[in-house]
Amino acid sequence: MPAPAPSAPAATPWPAPPATGPVDAVVRLPGSKSVTNRALVLAALADAPSVVAKPLPARDTRLMAAALSALGSAVDASGEDWAVTPGRLRGPAAVDCGLAGTVMRFVPPLAALADGTVEFDGDERARVRPMGGILEALRTLGVRLEDGGRGTLPFTLHGQGRVRGGEVTIDASASSQFVSGLLLSGARYDEGLTVRHAGEPVPSLPHIEMTVDMLRAAGVTVDDTTPDVWRVEPGPVRARDVVVEPDLSGAAPFLAAALVTQGRVVVPDWPERTTQAGDALRGLLTDMGASVQLLPEGLEVRGTGRVFGLDADLHDVGELTPVLAALAALADGPSTLRGIGHLRGHETDRLTALATEINALGGDVTETPDSLHIRPRPLHGGLFGTYDDHRLAHVGAVLGLAVPGVLVEDVTTTTKTLPDFVGLWATLLG
Ligand SMILES: O=C(O)C1=C[C@@H](OP(=O)(O)O)[C@@H](O)[C@H](O)C1
Ligand SMILES: C=C(OP(=O)(O)O)C(=O)O
């Protein structure tokens, strides 16, 4: 087993800058994590070389590039666009998943096609993220795996160079990434793959739609006509150059700043149509009182002076919860964010982390197993814990716009999905 990364020395807390007036900024965001990591996996499985243009150059995507390189592809991630030349999938290899759900759920089904042993591990916190759906499915498909009976990282996978495929039934209520991961590699299994979900509803369905869309664009036949059943036919994955859309979920803290400061923020290149969960921000921020317009120059969000409380089911777009919770804590009225029990298996238990940290600044947040109730109260400064979670750092930054003295415990957690959050935040504030 590769040794887990040594724990980093304690970070120096980052003083979240208070806004001195309404923000008025154009914020250009790097590529979507979800699109980049799907594009990289598909490029490594493809029948010829391809280019992933405008990828996200951040920790999660660099870990994906490293994993695919370790398994036999040539991934040149040295430039602005990344070139992928697929190679014969092979072990022995060691895959560091970091804290990336996309790496820990998308790479094992691909590694099952490799010839040789592949060892998977990740950060300490990655070792408690749910993996059951992927590990059980691979075992059902005849892939030999050793996980010490834990059902989580670390584990060793013994690839045989091929997977017969067929049909698996899994419980994907903990993460849509179980389904996405299996579908992404399924066309390369001898008989293709049918994935059936049995259990509580699958979260983050737009992310599965993104997987299906990107597979179809690569020439794979996918049937998703029956709810909770997805079928990928066996066949080649066609090489195709992809231009990655900006990361719309990563836009959340910047757009939130427009509401908090009664300012204006424009995010260029916001796609007219997309499967990214972050697109739901248009409706959600409107519900919270913003004026939101898709203009030729990008998505424009203006604060109107009011921040309404929000009552919303975020089951499909859970990754937006942290920043919406920050806004809710600063709103004019109470909020209920529902359908988000699965966030307890994200980078950290986000429901407990959000309640604990907002309350530590004087807030009034209560959690149920799958929701947060947020009643705004005057907040005060203090240390805002980040739990290695990029989106918790975003929350500290948004609160810090309105509350003097917020210290974000470890702002470097943001490098999971943004190479330079602090720099972009400084641009935002002028
Ligand atoms: O497939 C993806 O790219 C993602 C799926 C979602 O995961 P869950 O279904 O585990 O929530 C989302 O929260 C995560 O940020 C990215
Ligand atoms: C849940 C998230 O990430 P991951 O891809 O690691 O699951 C997230 O980015 O909010």
Side-chain angles (χ1 to χ4, degrees):
M1 276 304 142
S7 33
T12 309
W14 176 68
T20 50
V23 298
D24 186 0
V26 174
V27 180
R28 200 168 281 281
L29 287 156
S32 149
K33 164 195 75 174
S34 294
V35 174
T36 302
N37 275 357
R38 282 168 175 74
L40 289 172
V41 168
L42 291 171
L45 292 167
D47 54 2
S50 62
V51 171
V52 180
K54 300 193 181 176
L56 171 69
R59 185 174 186 228
D60 278 16
T61 51
R62 293 204 184 277
L63 286 168
M64 181 62 91
L68 299 172
S69 302
L71 288 163
S73 291
V75 183
D76 180 355
S78 59
E80 249 176 56
D81 296 342
W82 293 0
V84 183
T85 305
R88 189 178 67 82
L89 294 167
R90 51 154 177 75
V95 171
D96 176 6
C97 300
L99 191 48
T102 48
V103 180
M104 69 181 84
R105 279 76 176 250
F106 296 179
V107 179
L110 176 144
L113 288 162
D115 217 344
T117 295
V118 186
E119 296 189 83
F120 286 86
D121 203 353
D123 296 357
E124 195 96 11
R125 284 188 196 276
R127 293 177 166 195
V128 296
R129 296 195 68 179
M131 283 298 296
I134 289 283
L135 299 181
E136 278 163 41
L138 291 176
R139 283 203 176 99
T140 305
L141 294 169
V143 178
R144 196 152 68 81
L145 279 160
E146 288 150 21
D147 66 349
R150 289 178 301 270
T152 60
L153 290 166
F155 55 86
T156 302
L157 184 155
H158 299 280
Q160 301 289 309
R162 53 177 288 252
V163 178
R164 199 173 75 201
E167 183 165 330
V168 286
T169 300
I170 58 169
D171 179 350
S173 55
S175 174
S176 65
Q177 292 173 343
F178 298 167
V179 176
S180 287
L182 292 163
L183 297 180
L184 283 167
S185 290
R188 290 281 307 273
Y189 295 175
D190 298 346
E191 297 174 7
L193 188 62
T194 301
V195 179
R196 282 178 194 280
H197 161 71
E200 294 297 306
V202 184
S204 311
L205 283 178
H207 282 100
I208 299 184
E209 242 181 89
M210 177 186 285
T211 302
V212 170
D213 264 27
M214 291 183 69
L215 279 164
R216 286 185 179 141
V220 175
T221 303
V222 188
D223 182 351
D224 62 350
T225 49
T226 308
D228 288 338
V229 182
W230 299 266
R231 163 86 193 145
V232 280
E233 295 300 328
V237 174
R238 298 290 181 213
R240 142 186 120 94
D241 295 344
V242 172
V243 182
V244 179
E245 300 167 352
D247 196 307
L248 308 187
S249 297
F254 301 92
L255 298 177
L259 280 88
V260 174
T261 68
Q262 301 180 39
R264 170 182 178 267
V265 172
V266 173
V267 174
D269 301 322
W270 194 282
E272 256 175 59
R273 258 205 303 273
T274 177
T275 50
Q276 283 194 64
D279 195 38
L281 285 168
R282 294 199 281 158
L284 291 163
L285 296 181
T286 303
D287 291 347
M288 294 193 89
S291 149
V292 179
Q293 274 186 291
L294 194 50
L295 302 172
E297 55 268 38
L299 186 78
E300 181 199 66
V301 172
R302 283 177 185 272
T304 56
R306 299 290 307 273
V307 180
F308 302 126
L310 179 70
D311 185 336
D313 186 329
L314 301 178
H315 191 65
D316 274 352
V317 295
E319 65 185 11
L320 304 181
T321 302
V323 168
L324 293 173
L327 279 176
L330 300 172
D332 304 338
S335 293
T336 299
L337 309 180
R338 287 174 284 106
I340 47 176
H342 64 290
L343 268 65
R344 295 188 185 279
H346 276 184
E347 282 78 341
T348 185
D349 176 340
R350 283 179 166 163
L351 303 198
T352 296
L354 285 164
T356 305
E357 296 308 314
I358 295 172
N359 290 346
L361 301 185
D364 181 5
V365 181
T366 48
E367 38 174 321
T368 74
D370 65 353
S371 67
L372 288 175
H373 300 287
I374 303 170
R375 286 160 298 269
R377 282 181 47 170
L379 301 180
H380 53 73
L383 188 65
F384 194 85
T386 41
Y387 307 82
D388 300 328
D389 186 347
H390 51 150
R391 301 199 202 275
L392 258 292
H394 297 168
V395 174
V398 171
L399 294 176
L401 291 170
V403 181
V406 174
L407 292 169
V408 176
E409 181 196 9
D410 184 0
V411 78
T412 68
T413 58
T414 55
T415 58
K416 183 176 191 287
T417 48
L418 258 183
D420 184 20
F421 174 78
V422 169
L424 268 182
W425 201 249
T427 311
L428 171 82
L429 295 174

